[in-house]
Amino acid sequence: GAVVSQHPSWVICKSGTSVKIECRSLDFQATTMFWYRQFPKQSLMLMATSNEGSKATYEQGVEKDKFLINHASLTLSTLTVTSAHPEDSSFYICSARTVVLNEKLFFGSGTQLSVL
Amino acid sequence: GQSLEQPSEVTAVEGAIVQINCTYQTSGFYGLSWYQQHDGGAPTFLSYNALDGLEETGRFSSFLSRSDSYGYLLLQELQMKDSASYFCAPWRDDKIIFGKGTRLHILP
């Protein structure tokens, strides 16, 4: 089956630093990747949609200068949390959409970000 | 406006059947997905309904009524490993929105 690799799985950083999270589709080409944020025991909140070679589309209320998304190839999307602060601490998770199984999303294992 | 409703928690007994309902109101709707997520894990795809009716995949079935903006996930022969959160997730405008999820507790 399709595999999505997300790294790192957890990261602790100091306030004010930037953190980059990678999401790779290992055995398929992802036409679209979605980035979500999830708080404990809550739903996945869609942050942005990224398509290869174009600018990401951010959901209302998500700061695009804060959460930089790059989708440079059909197998890689990155989310950079710039100048992270404690309120950015959360579980970030990506998902990928294929051409063939269009409505079936494959998720990465998530990244737990803790900002001190 | 847009809304998505599903029960926050459901409890059932091992071996039994449980149904998790979902009602939605969203523009641009074209299909309903269901995902399972264990604590600390990634969501995994369970089913997708684009048309009205029942879709069956092993112990899991999903139903959609577009006219009623309603769907449900049916889990049969419950096993302890089915203890997880289940998310109703409609597709609209080429993206998927997750509901708040239903936490399923299975009693032995």
Side-chain angles (χ1 to χ4, degrees):
Chain A
V3 177
V4 175
S5 175
Q6 184 173 343
H7 290 283
S9 52
W10 59 269
V11 58
I12 301 172
C13 69
K14 290 183 179 179
S15 188
T17 60
S18 294
V19 174
K20 180 186 279 191
I21 302 169
E22 287 192 353
C23 181
R24 291 181 185 273
S25 54
L26 297 185
D27 50 2
F28 66 97
Q29 292 186 328
T31 54
T32 304
M33 286 188 176
F34 301 96
W35 286 94
Y36 295 86
R37 184 174 179 176
Q38 187 176 34
F39 293 103
K41 299 191 189 307
Q42 294 191 26
S43 185
L44 291 88
M45 184 192 80
L46 180 64
M47 299 174 67
T49 303
S50 78
N51 294 294
E52 183 262 341
S54 61
K55 287 184 179 180
T57 303
Y58 290 81
E59 294 299 300
Q60 194 172 11
V62 178
E63 299 174 60
K64 60 182 180 181
D65 294 331
K66 173 82 171 170
F67 300 100
L68 300 179
I69 291 172
N70 183 275
H71 195 157
S73 76
L74 282 172
T75 59
L76 174 65
S77 177
T78 60
L79 167 67
T80 301
V81 183
T82 62
S83 186
H85 290 284
E87 59 265 29
D88 299 323
S89 298
S90 186
F91 188 63
Y92 293 88
I93 192 162
C94 68
S95 68
R97 191 179 186 185
T98 73
V99 174
V100 178
L101 300 172
N102 213 239
E103 275 70 45
K104 180 176 180 178
L105 296 183
F106 299 93
F107 281 82
S109 53
T111 298
Q112 182 63 53
L113 170 64
S114 296
V115 185
L116 304 177
Chain B
Q2 313 222 23
S3 68
L4 188 55
E5 300 276 344
Q6 59 180 119
S8 58
E9 289 188 81
V10 172
T11 301
V13 178
E14 189 177 15
I17 299 172
V18 71
Q19 178 174 312
I20 299 174
N21 297 319
C22 171
T23 57
Y24 61 88
Q25 187 173 353
T26 181
S27 58
F29 172 86
Y30 62 86
L32 188 68
S33 289
W34 288 90
Y35 283 80
Q36 178 194 61
Q37 186 181 29
H38 287 95
D39 285 346
T44 54
F45 174 85
L46 292 178
S47 68
Y48 173 71
N49 294 67
L51 303 175
D52 285 0
L54 193 67
E55 294 278 345
E56 297 179 69
T57 308
R59 294 187 297 115
F60 294 180
S61 303
S62 59
F63 173 83
L64 175 65
S65 168
R66 296 173 70 103
S67 59
D68 295 324
S69 297
Y70 164 75
Y72 67 72
L73 179 70
L74 190 74
L75 297 84
Q76 302 182 72
E77 300 173 24
L78 286 171
Q79 302 175 10
M80 296 305 292
K81 68 178 182 179
D82 297 329
S83 294
S85 291
Y86 292 84
F87 293 93
C88 164
W91 279 91
R92 65 167 179 90
D93 300 330
D94 220 27
K95 58 189 176 185
I96 189 172
I97 305 298
F98 284 79
K100 294 183 178 179
T102 298
R103 201 160 178 84
L104 175 61
H105 303 281
I106 312 271
L107 301 176

